[in-house]
Coordinates of all heavy atoms in Angstrom, one line a residue:
T266 N 78.8 -104.5 132.0 CA 78.2 -105.8 132.3 C 77.3 -105.7 133.5 O 77.4 -104.7 134.3 CB 79.2 -106.9 132.5 OG1 79.9 -106.6 133.7 CG2 80.2 -107.1 131.3
L267 N 76.4 -106.6 133.6 CA 75.5 -106.6 134.8 C 76.2 -106.8 136.1 O 75.9 -106.0 137.1 CB 74.5 -107.8 134.6 CG 73.5 -107.9 135.7 CD1 72.7 -106.7 135.9 CD2 72.7 -109.2 135.5
M268 N 77.3 -107.6 136.2 CA 78.0 -107.7 137.4 C 78.7 -106.4 137.8 O 78.7 -106.0 139.0 CB 79.1 -108.8 137.3 CG 78.5 -110.2 137.3 SD 77.4 -110.5 138.8 CE 78.6 -110.7 140.1
A269 N 79.3 -105.7 136.9 CA 79.9 -104.4 137.1 C 78.9 -103.4 137.7 O 79.1 -102.6 138.7 CB 80.6 -103.8 135.9
R270 N 77.7 -103.4 137.1 CA 76.6 -102.5 137.7 C 76.2 -102.9 139.1 O 76.0 -102.0 139.9 CB 75.4 -102.5 136.7 CG 75.7 -101.6 135.5 CD 74.4 -101.4 134.7 NE 74.4 -102.2 133.6 CZ 73.4 -102.5 132.9 NH1 72.2 -102.1 133.2 NH2 73.5 -103.3 131.8
L271 N 76.0 -104.2 139.3 CA 75.6 -104.6 140.6 C 76.7 -104.2 141.7 O 76.3 -103.8 142.8 CB 75.4 -106.1 140.7 CG 74.2 -106.6 139.9 CD1 74.1 -108.1 139.9 CD2 72.9 -106.1 140.6
E272 N 77.9 -104.4 141.3 CA 79.0 -103.9 142.3 C 78.9 -102.5 142.6 O 79.2 -102.1 143.7 CB 80.4 -104.4 141.7 CG 80.6 -105.9 141.7 CD 81.9 -106.2 141.0 OE1 82.7 -105.4 140.6 OE2 82.1 -107.5 140.9
T273 N 78.6 -101.7 141.6 CA 78.5 -100.2 141.7 C 77.3 -99.9 142.7 O 77.4 -99.1 143.6 CB 78.3 -99.6 140.4 OG1 79.4 -99.8 139.5 CG2 78.1 -98.0 140.6
Y274 N 76.2 -100.6 142.5 CA 75.0 -100.4 143.3 C 75.3 -100.8 144.8 O 74.9 -100.1 145.7 CB 73.8 -101.1 142.8 CG 73.3 -100.5 141.5 CD1 72.9 -101.3 140.5 CD2 73.1 -99.2 141.4 CE1 72.4 -100.8 139.3 CE2 72.6 -98.7 140.2 CZ 72.3 -99.5 139.2 OH 71.8 -99.0 138.0
E275 N 76.0 -101.9 145.0 CA 76.3 -102.4 146.3 C 77.2 -101.3 147.1 O 77.0 -101.2 148.3 CB 77.0 -103.7 146.3 CG 76.1 -104.8 145.9 CD 76.8 -106.2 145.7 OE1 78.0 -106.2 146.2 OE2 76.2 -107.0 145.1
A276 N 78.0 -100.6 146.4 CA 78.9 -99.6 147.0 C 78.2 -98.3 147.3 O 78.7 -97.5 148.1 CB 80.1 -99.4 146.2
T277 N 77.1 -98.1 146.7 CA 76.4 -96.9 146.9 C 75.5 -96.9 148.1 O 74.7 -97.9 148.3 CB 75.5 -96.6 145.6 OG1 76.3 -96.6 144.5 CG2 74.8 -95.3 145.7
R278 N 75.5 -96.0 148.9 CA 74.7 -95.9 150.1 C 73.4 -95.1 149.9 O 73.4 -94.2 149.1 CB 75.4 -95.3 151.2 CG 76.7 -96.0 151.6 CD 77.2 -95.7 153.0 NE 78.4 -96.4 153.3 CZ 78.6 -97.7 153.7 NH1 77.5 -98.3 154.0 NH2 79.7 -98.2 154.0
V279 N 72.4 -95.5 150.6 CA 71.0 -94.9 150.4 C 71.1 -93.4 150.8 O 70.5 -92.6 150.2 CB 70.0 -95.5 151.4 CG1 68.7 -94.8 151.4 CG2 69.8 -97.0 150.9
G280 N 72.0 -93.0 151.7 CA 72.1 -91.6 152.1 C 72.5 -90.7 151.0 O 72.3 -89.5 151.0
R281 N 73.0 -91.3 149.9 CA 73.4 -90.5 148.7 C 72.1 -89.9 148.1 O 72.2 -88.8 147.6 CB 74.1 -91.3 147.8 CG 74.5 -90.6 146.5 CD 75.4 -91.5 145.7 NE 75.7 -90.8 144.5 CZ 76.4 -91.4 143.4 NH1 76.7 -92.6 143.6 NH2 76.7 -90.7 142.4
W282 N 71.0 -90.5 148.2 CA 69.8 -90.1 147.6 C 68.8 -89.5 148.6 O 67.9 -88.8 148.2 CB 69.1 -91.1 146.7 CG 69.9 -91.4 145.5 CD1 70.0 -90.7 144.4 CD2 70.7 -92.6 145.4 NE1 70.8 -91.4 143.5 CE2 71.2 -92.6 144.1 CE3 70.9 -93.7 146.1 CZ2 72.1 -93.5 143.5 CZ3 71.8 -94.7 145.6 CH2 72.3 -94.6 144.3
M283 N 68.9 -89.9 149.8 CA 67.9 -89.6 150.8 C 68.3 -88.4 151.7 O 69.5 -88.2 151.8 CB 67.5 -90.8 151.7 CG 67.1 -92.0 150.8 SD 65.8 -93.0 151.4 CE 64.8 -92.1 152.4
S284 N 67.3 -87.7 152.3 CA 67.6 -86.6 153.1 C 67.3 -86.9 154.5 O 66.3 -87.6 154.8 CB 66.8 -85.4 152.6 OG 66.9 -84.3 153.5
A285 N 68.1 -86.4 155.5 CA 67.9 -86.6 156.8 C 66.7 -85.7 157.3 O 65.9 -86.0 158.2 CB 69.1 -86.4 157.7
D286 N 66.5 -84.6 156.7 CA 65.5 -83.6 157.0 C 64.3 -83.9 156.1 O 64.2 -83.2 155.0 CB 66.0 -82.2 156.9 CG 67.2 -81.9 157.8 OD1 67.1 -82.4 159.0 OD2 68.1 -81.1 157.4
V287 N 63.4 -84.7 156.5 CA 62.3 -85.1 155.6 C 61.2 -84.0 155.8 O 60.8 -83.6 156.9 CB 61.7 -86.4 156.1 CG1 60.5 -86.7 155.2 CG2 62.8 -87.5 156.0
V288 N 60.7 -83.5 154.7 CA 59.6 -82.5 154.7 C 58.3 -83.3 154.7 O 58.1 -84.3 153.9 CB 59.7 -81.7 153.4 CG1 58.5 -80.7 153.3 CG2 61.0 -81.0 153.3
T289 N 57.4 -83.0 155.6 CA 56.2 -83.7 155.8 C 55.0 -82.7 155.8 O 55.3 -81.5 155.8 CB 56.1 -84.5 157.1 OG1 56.2 -83.5 158.2 CG2 57.3 -85.4 157.2
I290 N 53.8 -83.2 155.8 CA 52.6 -82.3 155.9 C 51.6 -83.0 156.7 O 51.5 -84.2 156.9 CB 52.1 -82.1 154.4 CG1 51.1 -80.9 154.4 CG2 51.4 -83.3 153.8 CD1 51.1 -80.2 153.1
D291 N 50.7 -82.1 157.3 CA 49.7 -82.5 158.2 C 48.4 -83.0 157.4 O 48.2 -82.3 156.3 CB 49.3 -81.4 159.1 CG 48.3 -81.7 160.2 OD1 48.8 -82.1 161.2 OD2 47.1 -81.6 159.9
P292 N 47.7 -83.9 157.8 CA 46.5 -84.3 157.1 C 45.4 -83.2 156.9 O 44.7 -83.2 155.9 CB 45.9 -85.5 157.9 CG 46.9 -85.9 158.8 CD 47.9 -84.8 159.0
D293 N 45.5 -82.2 157.8 CA 44.5 -81.1 157.7 C 44.9 -80.0 156.7 O 44.2 -79.1 156.5 CB 44.2 -80.5 159.1 CG 43.5 -81.5 160.0 OD1 42.6 -82.3 159.5 OD2 43.8 -81.6 161.2
A294 N 46.1 -80.1 156.2 CA 46.6 -79.1 155.3 C 45.8 -79.2 154.0 O 45.3 -80.3 153.7 CB 48.1 -79.3 155.0
T295 N 45.7 -78.2 153.2 CA 45.0 -78.2 151.9 C 45.9 -78.8 150.9 O 47.1 -78.7 151.0 CB 44.5 -76.8 151.5 OG1 45.6 -76.0 151.3 CG2 43.6 -76.2 152.6
V296 N 45.3 -79.2 149.8 CA 46.0 -79.7 148.6 C 46.9 -78.5 148.1 O 48.0 -78.7 147.7 CB 45.1 -80.2 147.6 CG1 45.8 -80.6 146.3 CG2 44.4 -81.5 148.1
R297 N 46.4 -77.3 148.2 CA 47.2 -76.2 147.7 C 48.4 -76.1 148.6 O 49.5 -75.8 148.0 CB 46.3 -74.9 147.8 CG 47.1 -73.7 147.3 CD 46.3 -72.4 147.4 NE 47.1 -71.3 147.0 CZ 46.6 -70.1 146.8 NH1 45.3 -69.9 146.8 NH2 47.4 -69.1 146.4
D298 N 48.3 -76.2 149.9 CA 49.5 -76.1 150.7 C 50.5 -77.2 150.4 O 51.7 -76.9 150.3 CB 49.0 -76.4 152.2 CG 48.1 -75.3 152.8 OD1 48.2 -74.1 152.3 OD2 47.4 -75.6 153.8
A299 N 50.0 -78.4 150.1 CA 50.9 -79.5 149.7 C 51.6 -79.1 148.4 O 52.9 -79.3 148.3 CB 50.1 -80.8 149.5
L300 N 51.0 -78.6 147.5 CA 51.6 -78.2 146.2 C 52.6 -77.1 146.4 O 53.7 -77.1 145.8 CB 50.5 -77.7 145.2 CG 49.7 -78.8 144.6 CD1 48.4 -78.3 143.9 CD2 50.5 -79.7 143.6
E301 N 52.4 -76.2 147.3 CA 53.3 -75.1 147.6 C 54.5 -75.7 148.2 O 55.7 -75.3 147.9 CB 52.6 -74.0 148.4 CG 51.7 -73.1 147.7 CD 51.0 -72.1 148.5 OE1 51.3 -72.0 149.7 OE2 50.1 -71.4 147.9
V302 N 54.3 -76.6 149.2 CA 55.5 -77.2 149.9 C 56.3 -78.0 148.9 O 57.6 -77.8 148.9 CB 55.0 -78.1 151.1 CG1 56.2 -78.9 151.6 CG2 54.4 -77.3 152.2
M303 N 55.7 -78.7 148.0 CA 56.4 -79.5 147.0 C 57.2 -78.6 146.1 O 58.4 -78.9 145.7 CB 55.5 -80.5 146.3 CG 55.1 -81.6 147.1 SD 54.1 -82.8 146.2 CE 52.5 -82.5 146.7
T304 N 56.6 -77.6 145.7 CA 57.2 -76.6 144.8 C 58.4 -75.9 145.5 O 59.5 -75.8 144.9 CB 56.3 -75.5 144.3 OG1 55.2 -76.2 143.6 CG2 56.9 -74.5 143.4
D305 N 58.2 -75.5 146.7 CA 59.3 -74.8 147.5 C 60.5 -75.6 147.7 O 61.6 -75.2 147.7 CB 58.7 -74.3 148.8 CG 57.7 -73.1 148.7 OD1 57.7 -72.5 147.6 OD2 57.1 -72.8 149.7
H306 N 60.2 -76.9 148.0 CA 61.4 -77.9 148.2 C 61.8 -78.7 147.1 O 62.7 -79.5 147.2 CB 60.9 -78.8 149.4 CG 60.8 -78.0 150.7 ND1 61.8 -77.7 151.5 CD2 59.6 -77.5 151.3 CE1 61.4 -77.1 152.6 NE2 60.1 -76.9 152.5
R307 N 61.1 -78.5 145.9 CA 61.5 -79.2 144.7 C 61.4 -80.7 144.9 O 62.4 -81.4 144.6 CB 62.9 -78.7 144.3 CG 62.9 -77.2 144.0 CD 64.3 -76.8 143.5 NE 64.4 -77.1 142.1 CZ 65.4 -76.9 141.4 NH1 66.5 -76.5 142.0 NH2 65.4 -77.2 140.1
I308 N 60.3 -81.2 145.5 CA 60.1 -82.5 145.7 C 58.7 -83.0 145.1 O 57.9 -82.1 144.7 CB 60.1 -82.9 147.2 CG1 59.1 -82.1 148.0 CG2 61.5 -82.7 147.8 CD1 59.0 -82.4 149.4
R309 N 58.5 -84.2 144.9 CA 57.3 -84.7 144.2 C 56.4 -85.5 145.1 O 55.3 -85.9 144.8 CB 57.6 -85.5 143.0 CG 58.3 -84.7 141.9 CD 58.6 -85.5 140.7 NE 59.6 -86.5 141.1 CZ 60.1 -87.4 140.3 NH1 59.8 -87.4 139.0 NH2 60.9 -88.3 140.7
H310 N 56.9 -85.9 146.3 CA 56.1 -86.6 147.3 C 56.2 -86.1 148.7 O 57.3 -85.6 149.1 CB 56.5 -88.1 147.3 CG 56.4 -88.7 146.0 ND1 57.4 -88.6 145.0 CD2 55.4 -89.4 145.4 CE1 57.0 -89.3 143.8 NE2 55.8 -89.8 144.1
L311 N 55.1 -86.1 149.4 CA 55.2 -85.7 150.8 C 54.6 -86.7 151.7 O 53.4 -87.1 151.5 CB 54.3 -84.4 150.9 CG 54.9 -83.0 150.7 CD1 53.8 -82.0 150.7 CD2 56.0 -82.8 151.6
P312 N 55.3 -87.2 152.7 CA 54.7 -88.0 153.7 C 53.7 -87.2 154.6 O 53.9 -86.1 154.9 CB 55.9 -88.4 154.6 CG 57.1 -88.2 153.8 CD 56.8 -87.0 152.9
V313 N 52.6 -87.8 154.8 CA 51.5 -87.2 155.6 C 51.6 -87.8 157.0 O 51.5 -89.0 157.2 CB 50.1 -87.5 155.0 CG1 49.0 -86.8 155.8 CG2 50.0 -87.1 153.6
I314 N 51.9 -86.9 158.0 CA 52.1 -87.3 159.4 C 51.0 -86.7 160.3 O 50.8 -85.5 160.2 CB 53.5 -86.8 159.8 CG1 54.6 -87.2 158.9 CG2 53.8 -87.2 161.3 CD1 54.9 -88.7 158.9
D315 N 50.4 -87.6 161.1 CA 49.4 -87.1 161.9 C 49.9 -86.5 163.2 O 51.1 -86.4 163.4 CB 48.3 -88.3 162.3 CG 49.0 -89.4 163.2 OD1 50.1 -89.2 163.7 OD2 48.3 -90.4 163.3
G316 N 49.0 -86.0 164.1 CA 49.4 -85.4 165.3 C 50.2 -86.2 166.3 O 50.9 -85.7 167.2
K317 N 50.2 -87.5 166.1 CA 51.0 -88.5 166.9 C 52.4 -88.7 166.4 O 53.1 -89.5 166.9 CB 50.2 -89.8 167.1 CG 48.9 -89.6 167.8 CD 48.2 -91.0 167.8 CE 46.7 -90.9 167.9 NZ 46.1 -92.1 167.5
G318 N 52.6 -88.1 165.2 CA 53.9 -88.3 164.5 C 54.0 -89.6 163.7 O 55.0 -90.1 163.3
E319 N 52.8 -90.2 163.4 CA 52.7 -91.4 162.6 C 52.4 -91.2 161.2 O 51.6 -90.3 160.9 CB 51.7 -92.3 163.3 CG 52.0 -92.7 164.7 CD 51.3 -94.0 165.1 OE1 50.8 -94.8 164.3 OE2 51.4 -94.2 166.3
L320 N 53.0 -91.9 160.3 CA 52.8 -91.9 158.9 C 51.4 -92.4 158.6 O 51.0 -93.5 158.9 CB 53.8 -92.7 158.1 CG 53.6 -92.7 156.6 CD1 54.0 -91.4 156.0 CD2 54.6 -93.8 156.0
V321 N 50.6 -91.5 157.9 CA 49.2 -92.0 157.6 C 48.9 -92.0 156.1 O 47.9 -92.4 155.7 CB 48.1 -91.0 158.3 CG1 48.1 -91.2 159.8 CG2 48.3 -89.6 158.0
G322 N 50.0 -91.6 155.4 CA 49.9 -91.6 153.9 C 51.0 -90.8 153.3 O 51.8 -90.3 153.9
I323 N 50.9 -90.8 151.9 CA 51.8 -90.1 151.1 C 51.0 -89.4 150.0 O 50.1 -90.0 149.4 CB 52.9 -91.0 150.5 CG1 53.8 -91.6 151.6 CG2 53.7 -90.2 149.5 CD1 54.8 -92.6 151.0
V324 N 51.3 -88.1 149.8 CA 50.6 -87.3 148.8 C 51.7 -87.1 147.7 O 52.8 -86.7 148.0 CB 49.9 -86.1 149.3 CG1 50.8 -85.1 149.8 CG2 49.1 -85.4 148.2
S325 N 51.3 -87.3 146.5 CA 52.2 -87.0 145.3 C 51.8 -85.9 144.6 O 50.6 -85.4 144.7 CB 52.2 -88.2 144.4 OG 51.0 -88.3 143.6
S326 N 52.7 -85.2 143.9 CA 52.4 -84.0 143.1 C 51.3 -84.4 142.1 O 50.5 -83.6 141.8 CB 53.7 -83.4 142.5 OG 54.3 -84.4 141.7
R327 N 51.5 -85.5 141.5 CA 50.5 -86.0 140.4 C 49.1 -86.0 141.0 O 48.1 -85.5 140.5 CB 50.9 -87.3 139.9 CG 49.9 -87.8 138.8 CD 50.3 -89.1 138.3 NE 51.5 -89.0 137.5 CZ 52.1 -89.9 136.8 NH1 51.7 -91.2 137.0 NH2 53.2 -89.7 136.1
D328 N 48.9 -86.7 142.2 CA 47.6 -86.7 142.8 C 47.1 -85.4 143.2 O 45.9 -85.1 143.1 CB 47.7 -87.6 144.1 CG 48.0 -89.0 143.8 OD1 47.7 -89.5 142.7 OD2 48.5 -89.7 144.7
A329 N 47.9 -84.5 143.7 CA 47.6 -83.1 144.1 C 47.1 -82.4 142.9 O 46.1 -81.6 143.0 CB 48.7 -82.5 144.9
V330 N 47.8 -82.4 141.8 CA 47.4 -81.7 140.6 C 46.1 -82.2 140.1 O 45.2 -81.5 139.7 CB 48.5 -81.7 139.6 CG1 48.0 -81.2 138.2 CG2 49.7 -80.9 140.0
R331 N 45.9 -83.6 140.1 CA 44.7 -84.1 139.6 C 43.5 -83.6 140.5 O 42.5 -83.3 139.9 CB 44.7 -85.6 139.8 CG 44.9 -86.3 138.4 CD 44.7 -87.8 138.6 NE 45.8 -88.4 137.9 CZ 46.4 -89.5 138.3 NH1 46.0 -90.2 139.3 NH2 47.4 -89.9 137.6
C332 N 43.7 -83.6 141.7 CA 42.7 -83.0 142.7 C 42.4 -81.6 142.4 O 41.3 -81.1 142.4 CB 43.1 -83.3 144.1 SG 42.0 -82.5 145.3
A333 N 43.4 -80.9 142.2 CA 43.4 -79.4 142.1 C 42.6 -79.0 140.8 O 42.0 -77.9 140.9 CB 44.7 -78.8 142.0
V334 N 42.6 -79.8 139.8 CA 41.9 -79.4 138.6 C 40.6 -80.0 138.4 O 39.9 -80.0 137.4 CB 42.8 -79.6 137.4 CG1 44.0 -78.8 137.4 CG2 43.1 -81.1 137.2
Q335 N 40.0 -80.7 139.5 CA 38.7 -81.3 139.4 C 37.6 -80.2 139.8 O 37.9 -79.4 140.6 CB 38.6 -82.5 140.5 CG 39.5 -83.6 140.2 CD 39.2 -84.2 138.9 OE1 38.0 -84.4 138.4 NE2 40.2 -84.7 138.2
P336 N 36.5 -80.2 139.2 CA 36.1 -81.1 138.1 C 36.5 -80.6 136.8 O 36.3 -81.4 135.8 CB 34.6 -81.0 138.3 CG 34.3 -79.7 138.8 CD 35.5 -79.4 139.7
S337 N 37.1 -79.5 136.6 CA 37.5 -79.0 135.4 C 38.7 -78.1 135.4 O 38.8 -77.2 136.2 CB 36.3 -78.2 134.7 OG 36.8 -77.4 133.6
P338 N 39.7 -78.3 134.6 CA 40.9 -77.5 134.6 C 40.6 -76.0 134.3 O 41.3 -75.1 134.8 CB 41.7 -78.0 133.5 CG 41.3 -79.4 133.2 CD 39.8 -79.4 133.6
R339 N 39.4 -75.8 133.7 CA 39.1 -74.4 133.3 C 38.7 -73.6 134.6 O 38.7 -72.3 134.6 CB 37.9 -74.4 132.3 CG 38.3 -74.9 131.0 CD 37.3 -74.7 130.0 NE 37.7 -75.3 128.8 CZ 37.0 -75.9 127.9 NH1 35.7 -76.1 128.1 NH2 37.5 -76.4 126.8
K340 N 38.3 -74.3 135.7 CA 37.9 -73.6 136.9 C 39.1 -73.2 137.7 O 39.0 -72.6 138.8 CB 37.0 -74.4 137.7 CG 35.6 -74.6 137.0 CD 34.7 -75.3 137.9 CE 33.3 -75.3 137.2 NZ 32.3 -75.9 138.0
G341 N 40.3 -73.5 137.2 CA 41.5 -73.1 138.0 C 41.8 -74.1 139.1 O 41.4 -75.2 139.1
W342 N 42.4 -73.5 140.1 CA 43.0 -74.2 141.2 C 42.0 -74.2 142.5 O 42.4 -74.5 143.6 CB 44.3 -73.7 141.7 CG 45.3 -73.9 140.6 CD1 45.7 -73.0 139.7 CD2 46.1 -75.1 140.3 NE1 46.6 -73.6 138.8 CE2 46.9 -74.9 139.2 CE3 46.1 -76.3 140.9 CZ2 47.7 -75.8 138.6 CZ3 47.0 -77.3 140.4 CH2 47.8 -77.0 139.3
E343 N 40.7 -73.9 142.3 CA 39.8 -73.7 143.4 C 39.7 -75.0 144.2 O 39.6 -75.0 145.5 CB 38.5 -73.2 142.9 CG 38.6 -71.8 142.5 CD 37.2 -71.1 142.2 OE1 36.3 -71.5 142.9 OE2 37.2 -70.3 141.3
A344 N 39.7 -76.1 143.6 CA 39.5 -77.4 144.3 C 40.7 -77.6 145.3 O 40.5 -78.2 146.4 CB 39.4 -78.6 143.4
A345 N 41.9 -77.1 144.9 CA 43.0 -77.3 145.8 C 42.9 -76.4 147.1 O 43.5 -76.8 148.1 CB 44.3 -76.8 145.0
R346 N 42.2 -75.4 147.1 CA 42.0 -74.6 148.2 C 41.0 -75.2 149.2 O 41.1 -75.0 150.5 CB 41.5 -73.2 147.8 CG 42.5 -72.4 147.1 CD 42.0 -71.0 146.8 NE 42.9 -70.2 146.0 CZ 42.7 -70.0 144.7 NH1 41.6 -70.5 144.1 NH2 43.6 -69.4 144.0
G347 N 40.0 -75.9 148.8 CA 39.1 -76.5 149.7 C 39.2 -77.9 150.0 O 38.4 -78.4 150.8
T348 N 40.1 -78.6 149.4 CA 40.3 -80.0 149.7 C 41.5 -80.2 150.6 O 42.6 -79.7 150.4 CB 40.5 -80.8 148.3 OG1 39.4 -80.5 147.5 CG2 40.6 -82.3 148.6
H349 N 41.3 -81.1 151.6 CA 42.4 -81.3 152.6 C 43.2 -82.6 152.1 O 42.6 -83.5 151.5 CB 41.8 -81.6 153.9 CG 41.2 -80.3 154.6 ND1 39.9 -80.0 154.5 CD2 41.8 -79.3 155.2 CE1 39.7 -78.9 155.0 NE2 40.9 -78.4 155.5
V350 N 44.4 -82.6 152.5 CA 45.3 -83.8 152.1 C 44.6 -85.1 152.6 O 44.7 -86.1 151.9 CB 46.6 -83.6 152.8 CG1 47.5 -84.8 152.6 CG2 47.3 -82.3 152.1
R351 N 44.0 -85.1 153.7 CA 43.4 -86.4 154.3 C 42.3 -86.8 153.3 O 42.0 -88.1 153.3 CB 42.9 -86.1 155.6 CG 41.6 -85.3 155.7 CD 41.0 -85.2 157.1 NE 39.9 -84.3 157.0 CZ 39.9 -83.0 157.3 NH1 41.1 -82.5 157.6 NH2 38.9 -82.2 157.2
D352 N 41.7 -86.0 152.5 CA 40.7 -86.4 151.6 C 41.2 -87.0 150.3 O 40.5 -87.7 149.6 CB 39.8 -85.2 151.2 CG 39.1 -84.7 152.5 OD1 38.8 -85.4 153.4 OD2 38.8 -83.5 152.5

């Protein structure tokens, strides 16, 4: 029932799904770097943190792949090498 599910959710803590060691990336990193970090850590989103330690955005694997295959998937991953996360 809905009430049973709500009670289960209330007893579940956020820490069960979240990590204390958050993997981040710098705005000056390339999209290729972002894809490598996401692959290495098996994650789909990266917070973008500037030099002051402030969150300036989030890059997703979907956005990174879209960028990487522009203007054409046939050209390979070249766009990922030349495009920075801040862009």
Side-chain angles (χ1 to χ4, degrees):
T266 68
L267 178 58
M268 285 308 286
R270 280 193 257 164
L271 287 175
E272 289 173 6
T273 300
Y274 290 134
E275 287 177 15
T277 304
R278 300 205 184 269
V279 173
R281 181 174 176 184
W282 291 286
M283 304 221 25
S284 171
D286 299 324
V287 178
V288 178
T289 64
I290 197 155
D291 187 89
D293 292 323
T295 65
V296 171
R297 180 180 177 168
D298 295 336
L300 286 167
E301 287 179 2
V302 169
M303 286 187 257
T304 300
D305 291 346
H306 293 277
R307 301 178 81 185
I308 56 178
R309 295 180 297 183
H310 299 87
L311 276 174
V313 182
I314 305 295
D315 67 10
K317 300 175 201 167
E319 297 203 15
L320 178 69
V321 294
I323 296 177
V324 62
S325 71
S326 58
R327 179 181 289 179
D328 292 338
V330 168
R331 254 190 230 146
C332 170
V334 297
Q335 296 298 324
S337 166
R339 293 185 181 144
K340 292 188 177 185
W342 297 93
E343 291 191 30
R346 292 184 187 104
T348 304
H349 292 96
V350 170
R351 72 174 173 269
D352 297 331

